[in-house]
């Protein structure tokens, strides 16, 4: 049994490392493809701005550059306003394999879009498999902690499972609230906006109407950590609730079958009695 547990832990760790390597390699390839196009667009913009201002008095250059840059930001494609550096590109790759797809950043070159299709076809099932493994390990860990603390003493299987679900929901809620408070501090968002963004992210809805503007490497690392942890914790909760709804639907279906059979048999017996 001990060897089996160690083997599962090693397999889970290997799967997680594979996902990290896949994200890093994908980010490097996306960066190589899109960053050159981004630099080319930026150079074209600088050249056009220079051509526009070359016949203008130098005293007015500073006054004219600000509105020109504002128009450029409002009308430009993402590759001009968003930098394809490594850390943001890793987050972009993570939003691809998790199917969140905020839409704040996306490839605009033919090569980048073609690679995105290939990257998603492999990355999505790979990440979903990793998510399922760690969701199961999270459930097993919570069950083990409950036994160590003696919380399951004298409880039946149904009660133990119910308590485990409550603890899992409390853990998930803790992760959601912690990340929401962190976003409140770092982004200056209201708590409702932060909570909304966190929930939309962890459920992979990803509307894209809100997205953090922080560009520091520390923020990107914490963002990736909470996103993965939130997906695992909320995935565990959703899986448990899916099982509950499945059992509820099975109970309703069985009850309907019993009612139908009772009516059918009752009707048959009445017909025989009348005959």
């Amino acid at each position: 049994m001990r060897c089996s547990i160690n083997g599962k832990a090693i397999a889970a760790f290997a799967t997680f490392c594979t996902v990290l390597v896949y994200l890093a390699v994908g980010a490097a390839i996306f960066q190589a493809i899109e960053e050159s196009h981004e630099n080319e667009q930026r150079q074209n913009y600088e050249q056009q701005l220079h051509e526009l201002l070359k016949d203008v008095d130098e005293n007015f250059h500073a006054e004219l550059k600000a509105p020109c840059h504002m128009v450029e930001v409002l009308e430009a494609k993402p590759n001009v306003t968003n930098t394809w550096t490594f850390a943001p590109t890793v987050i972009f790759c993570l939003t691809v394999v998790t199917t969140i797809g905020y839409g704040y950043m996306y490839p605009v070159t033919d090569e980048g879009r073609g690679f995105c299709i290939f990257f998603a076809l492999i990355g999505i099932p790979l990440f979903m498999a990793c998510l399922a493994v760690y969701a199961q390990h999270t459930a097993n860990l919570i069950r083990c902690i409950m036994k160590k603390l003696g919380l399951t003493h004298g409880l039946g299987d149904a009660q133990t499972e119910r308590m485990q679900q409550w603890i899992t929901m409390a853990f998930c809620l803790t992760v959601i609230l912690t990340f929401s408070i962190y976003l409140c501090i770092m982004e200056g968002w209201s708590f409702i906006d932060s909570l909304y963004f966190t929930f939309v992210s962890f459920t992979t809805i990803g509307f894209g109407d809100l997205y953090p503007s922080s560009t520091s490497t520390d923020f990107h690392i914490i963002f990736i950590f909470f996103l993965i942890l939130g997906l695992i914790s909320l995935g565990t909760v959703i899986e448990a609730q899916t099982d509950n709804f499945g059992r509820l639907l099975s109970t309703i279906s069985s009850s309907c079958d019993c009612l139908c059979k009772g009516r059918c048999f009752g009707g048959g017996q009445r017909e025989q009695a009348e005959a």
Side-chain angles (χ1 to χ4, degrees), residues 19-50:
V19 170
L20 291 182
V21 171
Y22 188 77
L23 292 175
V25 172
I29 295 175
F30 273 116
Q31 184 180 5
I33 295 173
E34 296 295 327
E35 193 174 30
S36 59
H37 185 264
E38 175 188 55
N39 293 333
E40 182 181 348
Q41 281 191 319
R42 189 173 290 108
Q43 290 173 1
N44 290 339
Y45 164 72
E46 294 292 341
Q47 184 177 357
Q48 291 173 4
L49 184 61
H50 176 73

Side-chain angles (χ1 to χ4, degrees), residues 81-83 88 91 102 104 179 182-189 194 197 208-217 219-220 223:
T81 55
N82 292 311
T83 304
I91 294 179
Y102 293 116
Y104 76 102
F179 189 48
Y182 177 74
L183 289 174
C184 283
I185 298 171
M186 297 300 297
E187 294 297 313
W189 291 349
S194 300
F197 173 80
D209 50 343
L210 285 176
Y211 190 78
S213 59
S214 300
T215 58
S216 66
T217 303
F219 177 82
H220 289 145
F223 184 91

Side-chain angles (χ1 to χ4, degrees), residues 6-18 130 133-134 137:
N6 290 336
K8 290 180 180 179
I10 292 172
F13 180 74
T15 304
F16 183 71
C17 290
T18 302
C130 180
V133 168
Y134 273 88
H137 274 274

Side-chain angles (χ1 to χ4, degrees), residues 244-255:
N244 290 337
F245 279 114
R247 285 194 289 267
L248 176 62
L249 291 175
S250 297
T251 302
I252 294 173
S253 177
S254 299
S255 300

Side-chain angles (χ1 to χ4, degrees), residues 121-132:
L121 285 174
I122 298 177
I124 291 174
L126 175 63
F127 185 82
M128 293 304 169
C130 180
L131 191 65

Side-chain angles (χ1 to χ4, degrees), residues 261-272:
K261 289 179 179 178
R263 288 183 178 180
C264 291
F265 290 140
Q269 290 174 356
R270 281 195 298 271
E271 289 177 359
Q272 292 178 359

